[in-house]
């Protein structure tokens, strides 16, 4: 909702960034040159692919919740990354893409994998142990707010405008509405909510990092994203055994949820996003970010029977309006308008700036 995915908010996220931006998780600038593969006009209309991507990323938060019913959060994250990497590895092989070269590039990809994939994916998995998937999906939608705030500090070409600052303030009000601030956050799990918001912030930090280090790298978006996801998978392969025990059983439904989350919510979603951004541009491509929390909320309520109070949808609308305003470039510098990346998800939410985020969820 965040790998060689397009830029900015998750991503959940990100999640997002001149090329497609995770879900996430998202949910960045393009690190590589044009991809001949994505220049071919697909047989399926982009509107259909847009709807499919929205559904995939929207249901990612539900899949995370179901996965944690049978496996530890780190195991869910590892499975997600493993199957997502497998899908991209097949795509890279079919398209005969060359992996990125150079120790420096792989070093930056390792850091990007940690910030855009390993950290936010794990945080969302842990968060959903104690908070509803609906709340996680809405927290992922705050990635553009974090991204704007960070870009004003870290990216010199972005200049604050009244509209964007107003959007940031409005988004903050929306978050407080979702959390029920007027009633003292009663019934809210603080740690779980904080982890979901930190995951969204991680997408934004990763987007800035990728934009500064991998933009103009020369490798294709697909190869960068695949390499990033691979490094994140290696990181989780090292961390997971240190904090979890091997499963003594393999519940089928949670296992299928993890496989689907990785292969569709991370791998296939990134491929769809690349094609969308290449065909209709980052501005239209990033609009998927605004559908993700709506679908995540509907899925959580309809499938998991999660409670829904009036302040959750109302606050989510306010957050999305604020996020949309922060993406507005009117009144900004020409440089800022030109380099503005799309928002990600995500969970993943997975893709990320030049690399993958994912997710935007």
């Amino acid at each position: 909702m965040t790998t060689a995915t397009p830029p900015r908010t998750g991503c959940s996220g990100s999640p997002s960034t001149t090329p497609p931006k995770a879900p996430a998780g998202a949910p960045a600038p393009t690190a590589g040159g044009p991809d001949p593969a994505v220049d071919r006009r697909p047989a399926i209309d982009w509107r259909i692919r847009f709807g499919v991507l929205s559904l995939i990323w929207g249901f990612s938060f539900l899949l995370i919740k179901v996965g944690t019913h049978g496996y530890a959060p780190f195991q869910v994250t590892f499975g997600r990354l493993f199957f997502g990497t497998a899908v991209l590895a097949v795509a890279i092989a079919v398209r005969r893409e060359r992996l990125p070269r150079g120790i420096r590039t792989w070093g930056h990809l390792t850091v990007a994998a940690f910030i855009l994939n390993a950290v936010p994916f794990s945080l969302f998995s842990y968060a959903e142990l104690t908070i509803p998937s609906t709340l996680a999906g809405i927290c992922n939608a705050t990635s553009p707010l974090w991204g704007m705030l960070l870009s004003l500090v870290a990216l010199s070409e972005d200049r604050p405008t009244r509209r964007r600052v107003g959007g940031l303030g409005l988004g903050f009000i929306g978050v407080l509405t979702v959390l029920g601030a007027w009633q003292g956050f009663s019934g809210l799990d603080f740690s779980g909510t904080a982890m979901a918001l930190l995951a969204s912030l991680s997408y934004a930090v990763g987007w800035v990092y990728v934009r500064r280090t991998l933009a103009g790298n020369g490798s294709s978006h697909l190869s960068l994203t695949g390499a990033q996801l691979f490094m994140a998978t290696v990181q989780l392969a090292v961390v997971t055994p240190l904090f979890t025990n091997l499963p003594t059983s393999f519940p089928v439904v949670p296992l299928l949820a993890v496989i689907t989350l990785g292969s569709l919510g991370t791998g296939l979603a990134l491929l769809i996003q690349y094609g969308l951004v290449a065909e209709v541009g980052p501005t239209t491509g990033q609009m998927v970010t605004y559908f993700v929390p709506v679908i995540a909320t509907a899925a959580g309520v309809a499938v998991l029977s999660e409670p829904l109070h009036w302040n959750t949808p109302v606050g989510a609308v306010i957050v999305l309006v604020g996020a949309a305003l922060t993406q507005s470039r009117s009144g900004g510098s020409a440089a800022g308008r030109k380099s503005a990346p799309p928002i990600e998800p995500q969970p993943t939410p997975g893709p990320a700036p030049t690399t993958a985020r994912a997710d935007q969820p």
Side-chain angles (χ1 to χ4, degrees):
M1 107 159 297
T2 25
T3 329
T5 71
R8 183 159 30 114
T9 134
C11 52
S12 95
S14 26
S16 265
T17 53
T18 298
K21 116 187 187 159
T30 350
D35 266 331
V38 292
D39 287 338
R40 307 187 194 108
R41 185 170 296 279
I44 302 177
D45 186 82
W46 73 266
R47 297 171 186 82
I48 296 177
R49 287 178 284 127
F50 182 97
V52 171
L53 182 60
S54 299
L55 287 171
I56 290 175
W57 274 341
F59 271 84
S60 292
F61 298 96
L62 178 151
L63 293 173
I64 293 173
K65 171 69 77 172
V66 174
T68 57
H69 287 169
Y71 303 97
F74 275 137
Q75 293 169 344
V76 172
T77 303
F78 173 73
R80 174 183 186 176
L81 289 167
F82 177 84
F83 290 107
T85 301
V87 170
L88 292 188
V90 172
I92 290 173
V94 170
R95 298 179 182 180
R96 298 182 179 179
E97 296 275 1
R98 299 179 65 176
L99 291 176
R101 295 185 175 184
I103 295 178
R104 185 182 183 86
T105 296
W106 279 92
H108 288 314
L109 285 171
T110 299
V111 175
F114 181 75
I115 303 174
L116 285 167
N117 303 114
V119 169
F121 288 4
S122 298
L123 285 173
F124 272 123
S125 294
Y126 270 101
E128 292 199 41
L129 290 176
T130 56
I131 67 173
S133 64
T134 54
L135 179 55
I138 294 172
C139 287
N140 181 74
T142 65
S143 185
L145 303 177
W146 294 115
M148 194 217 80
L149 187 61
L150 290 175
S151 68
L152 296 179
V153 176
L155 299 175
S156 59
E157 68 269 24
D158 283 328
R159 294 289 184 268
T161 64
R162 291 181 180 178
R163 180 179 298 181
R164 298 182 69 198
V165 173
L168 183 62
L170 188 63
F172 179 68
I173 292 174
V175 171
L176 293 179
T177 302
V178 170
L179 302 182
W182 65 91
Q183 55 188 11
F185 307 107
S186 176
L188 182 72
D189 183 81
F190 178 79
S191 61
T193 304
M195 283 189 284
L197 290 173
L198 284 174
S200 183
L201 171 60
S202 185
Y203 285 141
V205 173
W207 169 72
V208 173
Y209 178 82
V210 168
R211 188 168 173 179
R212 283 186 172 276
T213 61
L214 289 172
N217 173 271
S219 299
S220 71
H221 303 314
L222 177 59
S223 64
L224 284 171
T225 301
Q228 183 181 307
L229 280 184
F230 172 73
M231 294 309 301
T233 303
V234 171
Q235 292 168 4
L236 262 295
V238 172
V239 170
T240 301
L242 299 178
F243 294 93
T244 64
N245 297 319
L246 288 174
T248 55
S249 62
F250 294 88
V252 176
V253 174
L255 179 60
L256 291 176
V258 173
I259 294 174
T260 304
L261 178 65
S263 57
L264 298 185
T266 301
L268 179 62
L270 290 177
L271 294 176
I272 294 176
Q273 186 188 39
Y274 289 140
L276 281 176
V277 171
E279 183 175 347
V280 301
T283 300
T284 301
Q286 77 177 5
M287 292 301 294
V288 68
T289 303
Y290 304 112
F291 289 86
V292 170
V294 177
I295 295 173
T297 299
V301 173
V303 180
L304 300 179
S305 300
E306 294 179 341
L308 183 67
H309 304 291
W310 70 267
N311 58 299
T312 300
V314 170
V317 170
I318 297 174
V319 167
L320 293 177
V321 171
L325 290 175
T326 64
Q327 299 307 300
S328 170
R329 302 289 161 173
S330 91
S333 66
R337 290 193 297 272
K338 182 177 180 181
S339 61
I343 298 181
E344 138 124 220
Q346 65 357 359
T348 148
T354 27
T355 57
R357 151 190 152 185
D359 229 56
Q360 227 290 324

